[in-house]
Amino acid sequence: MFNTARMALFAALLAGVAGPVFAADFVEPPVVEPAPPPPVYEQPVEYGGWYIRGDIDYHWSKFRGGDYITYGPAPGTGRFDSGKLEGAFSAGAGVGYQINQYFRTDLTADWMSKSDFRGSTSGICLDGDPCTSTDTSSYTALLLLANAYVDIGTWHGITPYVGAGIGGAWVKWDTLHNVTEDGSFEHSGGKGWRFAYAAMAGASYCLTDRVKLDIGYRYSHIEGGKMFDFASGVGPGHDKGINVHEVRGGLRYQFGNSGCAQPEPIAYEPEPVYTK
């Protein structure tokens, strides 16, 4: 009986010591609570890169007057009493570089198709009486410009802009036909390079992530130059310059980031936070 009591006491003591040990082996792991997600930031847009462009337009040219040398009973200088140029189409192309979101430059070449001219001059006919000549011709031009633009901003894919350009124009006048009471006369047309400059305004619209539709207005001024050669006691003649008003439309293809594509968000994986 005594032995039985001793065994019971030993078992009770063993259970009291082992209980905390086994309990320590079954402690639950700490609870992992995810950190609150940080705000999602969009990747910064890096503007820039080369682009090419193609344009067509309809333009109205304004004849700023002209004068010519006369050799006759009263030598001196004559001038056109009137002169008007008809509208015509143009086509052009260019290559440019988008420097940043707000500034770009390009080089453009535009071929201005034939614009008809009709004017009048006054003089003395063969009988000694005053007479009027009806004068007809036409001109074509190749306009080369180095341009700079400011893109004001982009709203819903539309980017308004203003710009200016400077360069030169190769102008070619066709044969000048004079019709008077004495008959008709012809003067060979003049041709040559002239100084030119331009100012423009418009807006572009994103068609795709790389292609933009460009609609705008451009004012170009071409300096005066030789209009026709000497013939029949008159000439040479020089025009005083041509002002050109253009309504333009075209496409620009951007090799770099055009600003049309929406930036992709950067995904963040929150780091787990362990708590005891």
Side-chain angles (χ1 to χ4, degrees), residues 86-237:
E86 300 295 333
F89 287 95
S90 297
V95 58
Y97 190 81
Q98 184 85 39
I99 298 174
N100 55 41
Q101 183 178 358
Y102 301 104
F103 189 69
R104 58 188 169 89
T105 62
D106 60 29
L107 300 174
T108 57
D110 292 271
W111 175 254
M112 297 181 175
S113 62
K114 183 165 61 176
S115 181
D116 292 330
F117 170 81
R118 184 178 181 85
S120 63
T121 53
S122 300
I124 304 297
C125 288
L126 296 179
D127 58 8
D129 293 331
C131 62
T132 300
S133 169
T134 300
D135 311 311
T136 58
S137 183
S138 63
Y139 91 96
T140 55
L142 174 64
L143 181 62
L144 303 178
L145 293 173
N147 309 289
Y149 308 87
V150 175
D151 292 328
I152 299 172
T154 302
W155 297 271
H156 305 289
I158 300 176
T159 306
Y161 66 84
V162 294
I166 189 171
W170 187 81
V171 177
K172 181 181 183 301
W173 282 97
D174 289 338
T175 300
L176 178 69
H177 300 273
N178 310 123
V179 179
T180 68
E181 297 174 1
D182 296 329
S184 61
F185 307 91
E186 292 185 349
H187 298 263
S188 298
K191 57 185 176 181
W193 284 99
R194 308 180 183 189
F195 174 74
Y197 59 87
M200 62 284 287
S204 63
Y205 177 74
C206 295
L207 296 178
T208 70
D209 60 343
R210 291 188 179 273
V211 179
K212 291 184 177 182
L213 173 67
D214 192 319
I215 302 294
Y217 162 81
R218 182 171 74 179
Y219 164 81
S220 304
H221 173 74
I222 301 173
E223 286 292 312
K226 192 173 185 179
M227 184 177 179
F228 59 87
D229 291 324
F230 169 82
S232 304
V234 177

Side-chain angles (χ1 to χ4, degrees), residues 25 28 48 59 63 107 150 204 230 232 251 253 274:
D25 293 338
E28 294 183 359
H59 62 269
F63 182 69
L107 300 174
V150 175
S204 63
F230 169 82
S232 304
L251 297 175
Y253 181 85
Y274 297 94

